């Protein structure tokens, strides 16, 4: 009968544990590896306060993608957001992208209101019609001091 040494058994246990940790990190971290299910679309905003990478992108309340990167375009003085959109969803260049909030003080997400008469966009194209995030603190201060 073949017996494993204690060191071999511990080594196998550690290896299985590391594989389980790697798998859970990829699944829970929503890492998209070797996937061509999405195509990138850029949108430029004047204000994206509170928006984070991996925030959902929704259309009609249905998640159709996520925010991949957020950067600063100093040449045009805007915040540049690259969204990954599901390939099954076709957008047109007259779609409107807005920064919205889940609930009163919830997480930010991007909402796309589809256009209808524009030309279809492809991977790497830019949506130009955007609405920035609403600054709740600014609205409250205007209301509190009677400047509404």
């Amino acid at each position: 009968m073949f017996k494993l040494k204690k060191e071999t058994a511990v080594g196998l246990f550690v290896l299985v544990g590391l594989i389980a940790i790697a798998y859970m990190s990829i699944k829970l971290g929503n890492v998209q590896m070797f996937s061509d299910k999405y195509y990138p679309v850029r949108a430029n905003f004047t204000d994206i306060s509170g928006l984070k990478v991996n925030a959902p992108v929704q259309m009609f309340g249905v998640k159709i993608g996520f925010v991949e990167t957020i950067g600063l375009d100093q040449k045009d003085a805007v915040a540049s957001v690259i969204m990954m959109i599901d390939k099954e969803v076709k957008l047109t260049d007259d779609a409107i992208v807005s920064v919205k909030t889940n609930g009163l003080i919830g997480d930010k997400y991007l909402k796309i209101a589809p256009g209808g008469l524009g030309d279809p966009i492809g991977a790497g194209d830019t949506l130009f019609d955007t609405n920035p995030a609403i600054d709740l603190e600014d609205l409250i201060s205007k209301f509190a001091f009677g400047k509404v």
Side-chain angles (χ1 to χ4, degrees):
M1 184 170 168
F2 179 74
K3 286 188 172 184
L4 292 175
K5 293 184 179 179
K6 286 183 183 179
E7 293 85 8
T8 307
V10 170
L12 286 174
F13 182 75
V14 169
L15 181 64
V16 169
L18 289 175
I19 291 171
I21 289 173
Y23 175 77
M24 292 304 292
S25 297
I26 290 170
K27 283 297 183 188
L28 293 176
N30 199 16
V31 176
Q32 305 294 329
M33 295 179 63
F34 311 114
S35 175
D36 60 349
K37 184 179 176 186
Y38 299 97
Y39 65 97
V41 175
R42 178 183 303 273
N44 297 324
F45 295 89
T46 56
D47 185 14
I48 57 166
S49 299
L51 188 68
K52 297 178 181 167
V53 173
N54 288 329
V57 177
Q58 295 182 359
M59 181 184 290
F60 303 121
V62 177
K63 183 178 176 185
I64 62 166
F66 61 94
V67 174
E68 182 181 44
T69 59
I70 298 173
L72 182 63
D73 184 356
Q74 292 183 342
K75 182 180 134 197
D76 295 329
V78 292
S80 179
V81 175
I82 297 178
M83 305 169 281
M84 298 302 284
I85 304 296
D86 193 324
K87 282 193 175 184
E88 295 180 6
V89 177
K90 304 300 180 201
L91 298 175
T92 57
D93 61 359
D94 60 345
I96 302 169
V97 185
S98 305
V99 179
K100 298 290 185 179
T101 305
N102 260 341
L104 186 59
I105 55 172
D107 292 335
K108 302 280 185 171
Y109 68 96
L110 292 179
K111 177 182 178 183
I112 297 180
L117 302 175
D119 296 324
I121 63 168
D125 288 346
T126 302
L127 293 173
F128 294 101
D129 199 359
T130 59
N131 294 326
I134 295 174
D135 188 5
L136 190 59
E137 293 174 357
D138 188 38
L139 287 175
I140 292 172
S141 67
K142 284 181 181 179
F143 181 74
F145 296 113
K147 297 179 182 179
V148 179

